[in-house]
């Protein structure tokens, strides 16, 4: 009897080092439930020196595009995951790299943020946010495609 070999496991990021020094093109779809409006973002991000930094343009339905940027501090944790902090060093959430689709939660009263990452097609990846509350209500899907130099 011939045994079949198992399909190879997909390569996944194992630590912050797998992100560092790389750039990704970003396409983002945002649907604001309060405004019943779709918004798009197109841009890029670079993860280097412990910082996630993205720049691009928000594309609104009937308005000119707006410049947009954000920065987060990414810090490795002892288990190989990533702790994400706002620029002012407040904790935001944790990315557990033991799973191919880790989830996290952030409470910013009265709103709540839930994220699911998908690393199944690494080095391309997605982040899907669901934000609920009286001030904010939107779904946001960000697709990251690694840029090759």
């Amino acid at each position: 009897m011939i045994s079949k070999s198992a399909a190879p496991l997909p390569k996944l990021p194992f630590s912050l080092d797998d992100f560092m020094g790389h750039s990704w093109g970003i396409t983002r779809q945002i649907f604001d439930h309060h405004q019943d409006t779709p918004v798009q973002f197109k841009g890029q991000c670079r993860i280097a020196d412990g910082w996630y930094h993205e720049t691009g343009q928000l594309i609104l339905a009937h308005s000119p595009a707006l410049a947009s940027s954000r920065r987060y501090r990414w810090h490795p944790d002892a288990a190989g995951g990533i702790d994400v902090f706002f620029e002012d060093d407040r904790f935001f959430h944790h990315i557990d790299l033991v799973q191919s689709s880790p989830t996290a939660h952030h409470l910013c009263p009265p709103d709540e943020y839930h994220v699911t990452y998908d690393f199944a097609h690494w080095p391309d990846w997605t982040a899907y946010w669901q934000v609920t509350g009286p001030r904010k209500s939107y779904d946001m899907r960000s697709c990251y495609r690694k840029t090759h130099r």
Side-chain angles (χ1 to χ4, degrees):
M1 174 183 269
I2 300 173
S3 65
K4 293 182 180 178
S5 61
L9 294 174
K11 176 163 176 23
L12 299 173
F14 291 109
S15 72
L16 178 58
D17 289 342
D18 291 320
F19 293 89
M20 283 296 176
H22 299 291
S23 298
W24 282 266
I26 308 169
T27 56
R28 180 174 293 143
Q29 305 294 321
I30 306 164
F31 187 80
D32 184 330
H33 297 287
H34 286 318
Q35 302 289 325
D36 197 30
T37 333
V39 177
Q40 292 182 356
F41 172 87
K42 291 188 181 183
Q44 56 281 329
C45 86
R46 174 120 178 110
I47 303 172
D49 300 324
W51 287 97
Y52 167 105
H53 184 221
E54 74 176 40
T55 57
Q57 292 192 323
L58 282 173
I59 302 159
L60 309 167
H62 301 288
S63 301
L66 300 171
S68 175
S69 68
R70 66 172 78 172
R71 283 173 30 121
Y72 298 104
R73 171 73 70 188
W74 281 27
H75 188 270
D77 77 347
I82 301 167
D83 287 331
V84 180
F85 295 85
F86 293 105
E87 267 190 287
D88 64 5
D89 289 329
R90 288 177 298 127
F91 180 74
F92 185 22
H93 69 283
H94 176 75
I95 304 172
D96 180 358
L97 296 178
V98 173
Q99 308 173 45
S100 64
S101 293
T103 62
H105 178 260
H106 175 75
L107 184 60
C108 185
D111 302 314
E112 293 187 48
Y113 296 72
H114 298 275
V115 63
T116 301
Y117 288 94
D118 183 353
F119 298 116
H121 301 287
W122 181 259
D124 298 337
W125 50 288
T126 61
Y128 176 64
W129 288 91
Q130 294 178 294
V131 181
T132 57
R135 293 187 305 196
K136 297 177 182 176
S137 179
Y138 62 86
D139 294 327
M140 180 171 72
R141 180 181 177 85
S142 302
C143 299
Y144 296 80
R145 180 168 297 272
K146 191 172 182 183
T147 57
H148 299 282
R149 295 178 183 208

